[in-house]
Amino acid sequence: MNKFIKWGLLVLALGLLGAGWWLGLAWAPPDREMGDVQRIMYVHVPLQWMAMLAMFINFVAAVAYLFKASWKLDSAAEASAEIGLVLGTAGMITGAIWGRPTWGVYWSWDPRLTSEAIMLVTYTGYLVLRRFVEDPEKRATWSAVVAIIGAINLPIVWFSVRWWRSLHQVQSSPRTVDPEMVLPLRVSAFGMLFITLFFMAVRYRQALAERQAEVALPDALPGDVPMSASHNPSKVA
Amino acid sequence: MSTTPPRPRAIGLVAATLALLRKDLLIEWRTRARLNAIIFFALATLLMFSFALGPDTKLLEKNAGGYFWLAILFASVLALGESFRVESENACMDGVRLAPADARAIFLSKALGNTLLLTALGALLVPVMVALYGVRIVTSFMDLGLILLLGCLALSAPGTVYAAISSNARARDVLLPLLLFPLVIPALLSAAKATTLVLQGDPMNQFNSWLGLLGGFNLIYWGVGFVLFPRIIED
Amino acid sequence: MPPLPAPALALHDVSKRYGRRWALARLTYALPAGRSLLLTGHNGSGKTTLLRLVATALSPTAGRVEVLGRDAMADRESVRRDVALLSHASFLYEDLTAHQNLTVLARLLGIPSPQDAASALLTRVGLTQRSDSPVRSFSAGMRKRLAIARLLLKAPAIALLDEPFGELDPQGIRDMERIIGELKSSGVTVVLATHLIEQGLTLCEERLHLQDGRAVAA
């Protein structure tokens, strides 16, 4: 990616995040019931949305890899899973911080929290698997399979946990959001989107460079195997 | 020497699955000491739950369904790992692949073999659970059998896919549970709930919906495994 | 004029990489139909990789492998029916008996009476006495005999033999030579990788010497 675009993205992201959070902290009205505590929403909600986006990108990259293998798709899958895991963890921590004064507890076994915890464990497993397989082709194929199976599982987890809990406690009703809260939320969400894209771009380039170093022809042999001779047999067959 | 016999026709998916399943069961039978160890491991797990909880028998009775399925889940990790360890010794999996056997038949045979093994294990655990936890079967044995079969099917299909992956990776003993546990939570949840309903009565008729969830889980993962498994074992 | 028969096996610019190491580098070679090939080279020169590529146990990183005129990647199933590999790993289940190991394979191959086929082969390789002992109790030489029985059971058109004389006693080597001779006289293409160049040269008409994954003059 062009250097200019990359750093522009970062500046834009920081600007939007700064503006969004200033609006959220200083301009938007406090929540009627929760008071100032609710302002953590402008951090928490964008984090959660972007974690979802990153996991979705991971799923798409994994499916695409199985159809047409390429190091780019594998690198995109790795980058998005890592970033998604970081965002999701940050989202969960901010959620717990929010939960403590609101519900009186850091953690509750409500469907959303439970599903998210399971999602984080799923992608931790995915990244651990990637560390434990040396062969780049096998790592890419196997982790794509694991990513797909894990992603398919998330909606099932969501429904089953909701069902499981609903037998005991009533779902909390969806919150209505004041229009004056929408603007800061929207601005921070776009800021978070751009910073996610920035990190993703950086991490993607790192991953791609790692892959290329892994599959590069060592100097010891005469370099007459073309680098472009693809890693993927189905492409060259 | 006599000339080579006429070339037999290639066998179909079902025949290959049965041939491989027969082989797996034969190996299980011939190494039944290993099988026994897994059974005793599951029994010990059931026992340990009662120690972990202390002398509160009410609690044991209430959670019996969950403990029962956790014992099966832990045993399944061992059984799945074993069933692929046998194949990696002497590169037997290569031998089967090159025979040639359809990779999907390998998936079906391994998943079915593990289902049979776990179901049998579960059937052995039921009387022990009844005795240790002081529960009784309120609705019917049929319901319990059905939930046992569906639950073991649900553990085996994704378990086979992940065991095939982790048996070839470093740190395979850690990797399999790490991948498998979050995945089978919906199956575990519905199986445990349904078992609890069998043990404590089902006044609100929820049993069938849990059964349905388990059935859906099975359909999805047997399908996904059938499609994706060949990608794992063919380089 | 009838068309020329397809070469028994043909490698077109084949490369295979393991991690960062190239085991085969741009190898091109064709083995004419009806001839047998001796593969020589030091340890790590790519002999085993070449055999495993032809057996379709591996797929090439680049290039194309053809077996009996068929693409080893695209027609994998049909190629697998026609080739059999005797490898370093024996493909034997340690917990099953010799007879059971062969019966399992015979069932997979769809051979009509698997038990009888297994017994017949055990006689042929001289393992009748131990047919009901588990492989776990076998010596290295006996495993090799059982592994060759497994190969013969497949009745392949191409037999790929990776160090078939390894771990055999002098009698075992003679038996193996006899079996390879029988394979050849029944029209099987033999590809033989071995350090025993003398035995190899008497058995094979063609020779390919590998060094660092490339073909060089022997």
Side-chain angles (χ1 to χ4, degrees):
Chain A
M1 193 197 305
N2 192 315
K3 248 203 166 85
F4 180 73
I5 297 179
K6 192 171 95 179
W7 295 111
L9 207 55
L10 181 62
V11 171
L12 183 65
L14 292 177
L16 281 173
L17 274 182
W21 289 346
W22 179 82
L23 283 173
L25 286 174
W27 179 77
D31 187 85
R32 231 172 306 147
E33 292 159 37
M34 291 186 267
D36 283 336
V37 166
Q38 173 270 343
R39 293 180 195 276
I40 199 172
M41 176 184 86
Y42 307 115
V43 180
H44 172 73
V45 172
L47 278 172
Q48 298 292 54
W49 285 348
M50 292 313 132
M52 287 300 179
L53 178 70
M55 296 318 185
F56 182 69
I57 293 174
N58 173 268
F59 175 67
V60 172
V63 173
Y65 182 89
L66 288 188
F67 279 103
K68 186 165 175 20
S70 87
W71 293 129
K72 290 182 177 173
L73 288 169
D74 184 49
S75 307
E78 178 176 272
S80 52
E82 269 182 26
I83 306 236
L85 191 60
V86 171
L87 292 169
T89 308
M92 192 139 104
I93 292 170
T94 50
I97 293 172
W98 190 1
R100 173 72 201 195
T102 318
W103 303 329
V105 286
Y106 286 113
W107 182 262
S108 87
W109 289 103
D110 101 317
R112 216 181 279 201
L113 280 176
T114 311
S115 306
E116 177 160 29
I118 293 168
M119 177 179 92
L120 295 183
V121 177
T122 301
Y123 286 96
T124 308
Y126 169 85
L127 289 172
V128 169
L129 170 71
R130 294 192 62 99
R131 293 293 179 285
F132 281 163
V133 182
E134 253 104 81
D135 184 275
E137 280 98 12
K138 283 185 178 152
R139 182 201 302 135
T141 309
W142 294 353
S143 62
V145 169
V146 169
I148 292 171
I149 292 180
I152 292 174
N153 199 41
L154 294 179
I156 308 177
V157 167
W158 164 253
F159 282 116
S160 62
V161 175
R162 201 170 59 170
W163 217 351
W164 174 55
R165 296 305 300 179
S166 67
L167 301 179
H168 297 275
Q169 70 182 36
V170 191
Q171 276 285 110
S172 56
S173 59
R175 302 185 45 78
T176 47
V177 178
D178 193 298
E180 293 202 312
M181 293 174 176
V182 171
L183 179 69
L185 183 60
R186 197 168 282 170
V187 175
S188 342
F190 273 103
M192 199 63 82
L193 171 66
F194 290 129
I195 208 158
T196 303
L197 291 179
F198 168 77
F199 281 134
M200 210 105 89
V202 173
R203 189 63 192 82
Y204 165 77
R205 284 164 63 93
Q206 279 177 0
L208 193 58
E210 273 172 35
R211 287 305 89 74
Q212 276 160 355
E214 272 178 327
V215 302
L217 185 63
D219 300 332
L221 273 178
D224 60 353
V225 176
M227 283 285 293
S228 56
S230 164
H231 51 278
N232 175 23
S234 60
K235 254 200 311 210
V236 288
Chain B
M1 106 188 203
S2 62
T3 50
T4 50
R7 205 118 248 253
R9 281 188 311 120
I11 62 172
L13 183 67
V14 175
T17 305
L18 290 178
L20 289 171
L21 181 60
R22 193 165 165 180
K23 178 258 305 173
D24 281 344
L25 294 179
L26 184 63
I27 292 177
E28 290 297 347
W29 174 246
R30 289 185 58 89
T31 59
R32 47 194 180 277
R34 214 155 55 197
L35 200 60
N36 286 340
I38 293 180
I39 293 169
F40 282 111
F41 170 79
L43 290 175
T45 312
L46 275 189
L47 199 63
M48 292 321 277
F49 282 121
S50 45
F51 288 127
L53 281 181
D56 187 346
T57 46
K58 270 270 161 286
L59 215 53
L60 274 176
E61 197 186 327
K62 192 164 154 250
N63 297 329
Y67 299 151
F68 175 72
W69 278 100
L70 274 182
I72 293 182
L73 176 69
F74 293 157
S76 82
V77 173
L78 296 186
L80 286 163
E82 261 314 297
S83 75
F84 278 89
R85 197 196 53 72
V86 168
E87 301 290 343
S88 53
E89 210 173 17
N90 297 339
C92 287
M93 185 62 96
D94 276 346
V96 171
R97 264 168 63 207
L98 301 181
D102 191 329
R104 294 170 304 175
I106 300 176
F107 167 73
L108 290 177
S109 65
K110 282 284 174 206
L112 285 174
N114 274 296
T115 305
L116 286 178
L117 207 146
L118 291 178
T119 312
L121 171 74
L124 283 175
L125 288 186
V126 168
V128 180
M129 169 181 73
V130 168
L132 273 183
Y133 296 168
V135 289
R136 57 193 185 85
I137 288 143
V138 174
T139 58
S140 81
F141 268 106
M142 272 297 288
D143 286 350
L144 189 61
L146 195 58
I147 214 74
L148 183 59
L149 180 64
L150 281 176
C152 293
L153 281 166
L155 292 180
S156 297
T160 299
V161 176
Y162 281 177
I165 290 177
S166 55
S167 72
N168 286 301
R170 282 187 295 133
R172 55 176 154 190
D173 300 330
V174 188
L175 203 52
L176 178 56
L178 183 59
L179 292 175
L180 188 60
F181 285 1
L183 189 76
V184 295
I185 284 173
L188 198 70
L189 226 158
S190 34
K193 272 284 168 190
T195 307
T196 305
L197 293 176
V198 170
L199 298 179
Q200 289 169 6
D202 183 14
M204 285 155 75
N205 256 326
Q206 296 162 345
F207 183 78
N208 284 333
S209 31
W210 290 116
L211 213 60
L213 180 60
L214 207 48
F217 186 93
N218 269 313
L219 273 182
I220 291 171
Y221 283 107
W222 280 80
V224 168
F226 189 75
V227 173
L228 291 183
F229 189 82
R231 296 298 300 265
I232 295 169
I233 65 163
E234 294 290 356
D235 298 325
Chain C
M1 201 171 92
L4 282 172
L9 61 99
L11 308 169
H12 303 283
D13 206 12
V14 170
S15 301
K16 176 66 190 177
R17 188 194 62 232
Y18 296 119
R20 297 206 53 184
R21 205 175 66 79
W22 291 90
L24 282 184
R26 308 201 66 165
L27 188 65
T28 297
Y29 180 78
L31 177 66
R35 315 271 286 176
S36 285
L37 174 65
L38 172 66
L39 275 178
T40 54
H42 295 292
N43 291 331
S45 60
K47 303 189 296 288
T48 297
T49 303
L50 176 53
L51 292 178
R52 286 176 61 80
L53 281 170
V54 174
T56 77
L58 294 174
S59 41
T61 308
R64 198 156 46 89
V65 179
E66 271 178 28
V67 180
L68 301 167
R70 277 166 289 166
D71 188 303
M73 285 299 295
D75 290 326
R76 191 146 56 184
E77 288 296 313
S78 85
V79 168
R80 280 180 182 174
R81 289 190 181 284
D82 286 331
V83 302
L85 173 66
L86 177 74
S87 128
H88 290 292
S90 60
F91 302 153
L92 298 171
Y93 289 100
E94 295 275 338
D95 300 312
L96 298 184
T97 66
H99 191 265
Q100 285 165 339
N101 261 293
L102 293 181
T103 312
V104 165
L105 181 65
R107 285 214 180 87
L108 273 181
L109 294 171
I111 292 172
S113 47
Q115 307 264 5
D116 300 343
S119 305
L121 272 165
L122 286 170
T123 312
R124 191 168 159 199
V125 297
L127 280 177
T128 319
Q129 300 290 316
R130 298 298 299 273
S131 85
D132 291 325
S133 314
V135 170
R136 204 172 283 293
S137 69
F138 277 25
S139 69
M142 289 160 71
R143 282 158 198 262
K144 196 64 114 184
R145 283 167 187 268
L146 187 53
I148 194 83
R150 207 178 170 284
L151 178 139
L152 294 172
L153 185 60
K154 255 188 101 169
I158 300 182
L160 308 165
L161 309 173
D162 198 354
E163 298 291 353
F165 305 115
E167 293 157 334
L168 288 176
D169 54 19
Q171 179 59 44
I173 292 179
R174 279 193 294 279
D175 287 349
M176 186 63 84
E177 279 181 293
R178 177 178 54 79
I179 288 174
I180 296 173
E182 285 169 4
L183 277 172
K184 286 192 56 176
S185 60
S186 64
V188 176
T189 298
V190 171
V191 181
L192 177 64
T194 181
H195 285 110
L196 301 183
I197 296 176
E198 238 174 84
Q199 268 90 350
L201 284 175
T202 55
L203 286 164
C204 301
E205 299 85 29
E206 307 282 329
R207 181 175 180 188
L208 178 64
H209 187 73
L210 293 175
Q211 190 178 328
D212 289 335
R214 287 141 206 283
V216 293

